[in-house]
Amino acid sequence: NVSNSTVQAFGGGGSTAMGGSATVTFTGNGITVGSQILAEGGSGAMPGGDATVMLNAGTGTIQINSGTVEAECPNGVSEIRLSFLNRTSGGFFVNGQEGVVFNPPTGPPGTGFLVEGSPGIPGVNFLVTYSGSPPTGSPPTPPPDLIDFLVTYSGSPPTGSPPTPPPDLIDQVVASTNKDVDSLTGPLGGGDAGVGAPDEEEKKKEPPVCR
């Protein structure tokens, strides 16, 4: 959609109640603005009379090459809403600069998105919605610390030889093994391995043998 002429919507005033709301909606796979789009809520005795501009760009972009997109009201809520499919960021341009709300950033006169006469505030009165699939192409590379985490805890054992334990751990294992072996065998005193020969005192305690 291309808008090179002024598009305006006004909410009626109310002397005893709130003013009327005004909404301007553009929908298409790409929107180009070359003039003014304005939604102006009506004034009234009570709060109300909202003003909303909605630009639904589908799979395209939103370009403001000159002019302004504006929402304003004296008593209600003023908002500019942009929506995109197949995007996760960007998509709107002011004088060829992506992601810019107003040029110059100090405010009018100039080109861009205005809410209550000032550049729109992202996340407050300038709201952008992204939905659908992310742009095609290579996925973003995660930071190095996340890559290390994924490699270490992926669930598959690392390829190649297992890591060698530190030397002090090897010495502890060998010393502990030797100690266990000594405690099992004891000192060897001849005869069968592991069985000590009886000493003289034990022989004296044996009863005499009659022949």
Side-chain angles (χ1 to χ4, degrees), residues 79-177:
E79 291 180 339
I80 295 176
R81 293 177 172 270
L82 314 182
S83 67
F84 299 90
L85 298 176
N86 298 335
R87 281 188 171 275
T88 57
S89 64
F92 59 93
F93 297 78
V94 172
N95 290 338
Q97 302 178 63
E98 187 172 17
V100 171
V101 176
F102 201 85
N103 184 28
T106 54
T111 302
F113 302 92
L114 294 175
V115 179
E116 298 296 339
S118 299
I121 303 173
V124 178
N125 53 29
F126 180 75
L127 308 174
V128 185
T129 301
Y130 301 99
S131 59
S133 303
T136 58
S138 301
T141 302
D145 55 348
L146 180 58
I147 294 177
D148 294 340
F149 178 84
L150 294 175
V151 170
T152 304
Y153 297 97
S154 62
S156 300
T159 59
S161 302
T164 302
D168 56 346
L169 179 59
I170 295 176
D171 295 339
Q172 294 176 21
V173 172
V174 172
S176 177
T177 303

Side-chain angles (χ1 to χ4, degrees), residues 8-34:
Q8 298 176 330
F10 298 93
S15 59
T16 60
M18 66 181 184
S21 297
T23 301
V24 176
T25 302
F26 276 77
T27 300
N29 285 325
I31 298 172
T32 300
V33 179

